[in-house]
Structures are given as C-alpha cells and as structure tokens.
C-alpha cells in the first residue's frame, strides 16, 4: 500500500528531498482540505468503525461517544463527498440508511488503523511527555511571576559628595 508521504505525486508538484510533496496554489489548498477531513478525530473514528462493517447512523453515533448528531452528519457528508464513505438507502418503511467504506475508504483504513495503533502503543510516553512539558511550563511561569534581583542589570549611583 502506498502511503501519502511515500507516493509518487509528481502530477501535484515537486518533491522535497524527504519524499514529501510540495503543493502550490489551488492544489495545495485542496490537499490540505483533504488531509483536514481524513485527519479529523471524528473522521478517524468513523473510518475505523466502518472498517468493521457497514453501520447505520445511530450505531455510529453510539460508537462515537461525545459526537453530536450534527457533527456526525457533517462528518459523514464530508467523507461521502470525498469518496471515502458510501451511503445506501434501503427501500423499507421506515427507510434504512447504511454507511460503508468505499474502495478508497478501505485503502485509507489501514493507514488510519496504523495511526490508531501508534497512538495506543505510545499513550504512556505521550502522557509522560505532556506532564513533563506542563510541569516545565508551570515552573517557567512561576519563575517569571516571582520578583527577581536585577542588581547586575541596574546600576544605582552610590551616594557621594554633593557638588557645590
């Protein structure tokens, strides 16, 4: 499987020595828009859930604790628009709507799963790094808020004889 950063994107612009694509103008904006969509936390979750099997809307909503109906609708519409998700309306009463990954969505699934697996593997070290960072930040703010001696920086004239 070809990864985004490893692929041949010569039709989109020039390549950096690291293999990453450089986009210009409209192509760059479009690429950022696509990456914003597929990298969104709700999109990642929806893609992973749909990787298991097709789901109905409310199944997805229950699986994505914390997502609002409006956000799930927006996420599904965006993924459908980008060709990652398909929406099938079954002619029943009431109509049954199912969402599934398209061929493009299935090719994206392993990348998203790799990202989720990486996150799972590194949660402990990420938590520790965040705590250490937050501690350093808190200490630096504490240092800035305490009065400091600036004797070396500010020279106070010594009292001497008063000129006549």
């Amino acid at each position: 499987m070809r990864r985004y950063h490893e692929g041949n994107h010569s039709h989109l612009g020039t390549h950096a020595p690291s293999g990453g694509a450089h986009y210009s103008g409209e192509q760059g904006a479009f690429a950022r828009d696509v990456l914003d969509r597929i990298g969104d936390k709700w999109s990642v979750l929806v893609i992973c859930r749909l990787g298991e099997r097709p789901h109905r809307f409310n199944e997805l909503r229950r699986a994505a604790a914390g997502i609002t109906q409006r956000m799930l609708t927006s996420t599904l519409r965006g993924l459908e628009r980008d060709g990652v998700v398909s929406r099938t309306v079954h002619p029943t009463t009431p109509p049954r709507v199912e969402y599934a990954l398209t061929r493009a969505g299935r090719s994206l699934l392993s990348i998203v799963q790799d990202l989720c697996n990486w996150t799972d593997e590194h949660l402990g070290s990420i938590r520790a790094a965040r705590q250490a960072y937050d501690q350093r930040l808190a200490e630096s703010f504490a240092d800035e808020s305490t009065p400091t001696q600036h004797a070396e920086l500010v020279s106070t004239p010594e009292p001497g004889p008063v000129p006549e």
Side-chain angles (χ1 to χ4, degrees):
M1 169 175 293
R2 194 168 71 183
R3 305 281 177 173
Y4 173 77
H5 64 282
E6 296 170 351
N8 178 2
H9 302 285
S10 59
H11 62 286
L12 297 174
T14 60
H15 288 282
S18 65
H22 284 277
Y23 302 102
S24 60
E26 186 180 322
Q27 289 174 327
F30 185 67
R32 285 188 303 275
D33 183 59
V34 170
L35 289 171
D36 284 346
R37 163 105 50 240
I38 62 176
D40 171 80
K41 70 178 179 179
W42 298 120
S43 294
V44 167
L45 192 129
V46 166
I47 292 166
C48 284
R49 290 295 180 234
L50 293 178
E52 300 165 357
R53 63 178 174 76
H55 282 71
R56 295 179 67 181
F57 184 87
N58 284 326
E59 289 178 307
L60 287 170
R61 189 163 175 212
R62 284 189 296 272
I67 194 169
T68 63
Q69 182 172 338
R70 182 177 178 175
M71 181 55 71
L72 181 55
T73 298
S74 174
T75 299
L76 287 167
R77 283 182 182 161
L79 291 171
E80 182 181 7
R81 181 174 183 236
D82 288 346
V84 174
V85 168
S86 66
R87 180 180 184 268
T88 304
V89 180
H90 298 279
T92 59
T93 305
R96 193 180 89 207
V97 179
E98 281 188 336
Y99 297 89
L101 291 179
T102 62
R103 187 175 189 172
R106 289 229 164 262
S107 70
L108 179 59
L109 178 62
S110 66
I111 296 167
V112 170
Q113 286 174 328
D114 285 348
L115 179 61
C116 292
N117 290 337
W118 179 90
T119 303
D120 289 343
E121 290 173 21
H122 294 89
L123 276 178
S125 64
I126 293 168
R127 182 176 286 117
R130 284 183 177 186
Q131 289 172 344
Y133 177 89
D134 292 347
Q135 181 64 35
R136 285 191 311 273
L137 192 63
E139 289 170 359
S140 73
F141 280 127
D143 289 346
E144 289 176 10
S145 64
T146 57
T148 56
Q149 300 294 329
H150 297 288
E152 313 83 49
L153 301 175
V154 178
S155 62
T156 313
E158 291 289 323
V162 178
E164 295 176 23

